[in-house]
Amino acid sequence: SLFAWNVIMARAAEELVRARTQAVEEINNSISDIYGSIADKKHNIAMEYKTQVMSDNYMNALVRRLEHSAAVDIERGFTSVGPHRDDLAITINGNSADVSASRGEARTITLALKIIEVEMIKSIRDQAPILLLDDVFSELDGIRRKMLTHFLNDHQAIITTTDADVVGKKFTSLAQIITF
């Protein structure tokens, strides 16, 4: 009966991988521009969806891989192949962001992805989500802070910070500031 379950999982996995691949394509259409507007620098940012199963017919290829690894997977107690094992890789100017990005660049990539996420949710739900940002200003320079605050002017956000003076100067007219 394992084969039947593998087919069911592979069918669902194929849909998931297709949706993830489409999302990565959408992200790649705008991430460099958004990154550039936050950092005030031009960089080529790209995201790649990394999967162990490379095939035009993902479902069949995954079923074959699952059948091939069944004995080892049963012994280990988990499935070693499938979309739960996939990953994302981000590059900055062709170099792996894991290795070459500074803390500020990594934080800016994260903010660009957050902005894209907000825009994707807004387009799907026709309603902007509330943005939650934890101590986002601590690792941003003045330019990045300014660009982020410009973006946040049109969004509802909850921001925690240890640097209340910065937030107070940027958001006093638009925000309710709660101190502890």
Side-chain angles (χ1 to χ4, degrees):
S1 69
L2 184 59
F3 178 78
W5 288 109
N6 285 344
V7 170
I8 292 168
M9 187 185 92
R11 186 174 295 125
E14 184 174 50
E15 289 179 37
L16 179 62
V17 169
R18 188 178 310 118
R20 286 177 176 175
T21 302
Q22 182 180 354
V24 167
E25 288 173 12
E26 288 180 37
I27 289 167
N28 281 331
N29 288 335
S30 59
I31 192 165
S32 290
D33 291 338
I34 293 171
Y35 178 96
S37 69
I38 296 169
D40 200 27
K41 291 181 182 175
K42 183 81 173 131
H43 287 297
N44 182 22
I45 311 297
M47 179 181 282
E48 180 185 358
Y49 183 71
K50 305 278 238 176
T51 180
Q52 297 173 328
V53 181
M54 301 295 285
S55 175
D56 291 337
N57 191 335
Y58 182 90
M59 188 179 117
N60 289 339
L62 180 57
V63 168
R64 282 193 304 275
R65 293 280 308 267
L66 289 167
E67 290 294 307
H68 178 73
S69 65
V72 173
D73 290 351
I74 290 168
E75 188 175 308
R76 290 180 181 165
F78 62 88
T79 306
S80 62
V81 64
H84 61 291
R85 307 293 293 177
D86 294 349
D87 203 356
L88 296 170
I90 298 174
T91 59
I92 182 166
N93 297 325
N95 299 311
S96 172
D98 287 348
V99 177
S100 67
S102 68
R103 288 176 62 101
E105 288 169 337
R107 191 71 151 185
T108 304
I109 290 169
T110 302
L111 285 173
L113 289 170
K114 222 14 133 172
I115 290 168
I116 292 168
E117 178 184 21
V118 165
E119 296 303 323
M120 289 173 117
I121 291 170
K122 192 164 55 172
S123 72
I124 291 167
R125 299 191 63 158
D126 200 29
Q127 183 179 22
I130 297 173
L131 193 56
L132 304 174
L133 299 171
D134 183 29
D135 202 21
V136 69
F137 292 107
S138 67
E139 294 182 30
L140 299 178
D141 60 23
I143 292 171
R144 287 177 171 89
R145 286 178 180 179
K146 182 178 178 183
M147 297 310 291
L148 177 60
T149 55
H150 177 71
F151 170 78
L152 292 174
N153 283 337
D154 297 330
H155 295 83
Q156 187 175 6
I158 297 172
I159 303 169
T160 65
T161 185
T162 57
D163 197 356
D165 293 338
V166 171
V167 174
K169 290 176 188 172
K170 300 288 184 188
F171 292 106
T172 306
S173 63
L174 302 171
Q176 179 180 359
I177 299 173
I178 302 168
T179 58
F180 292 96

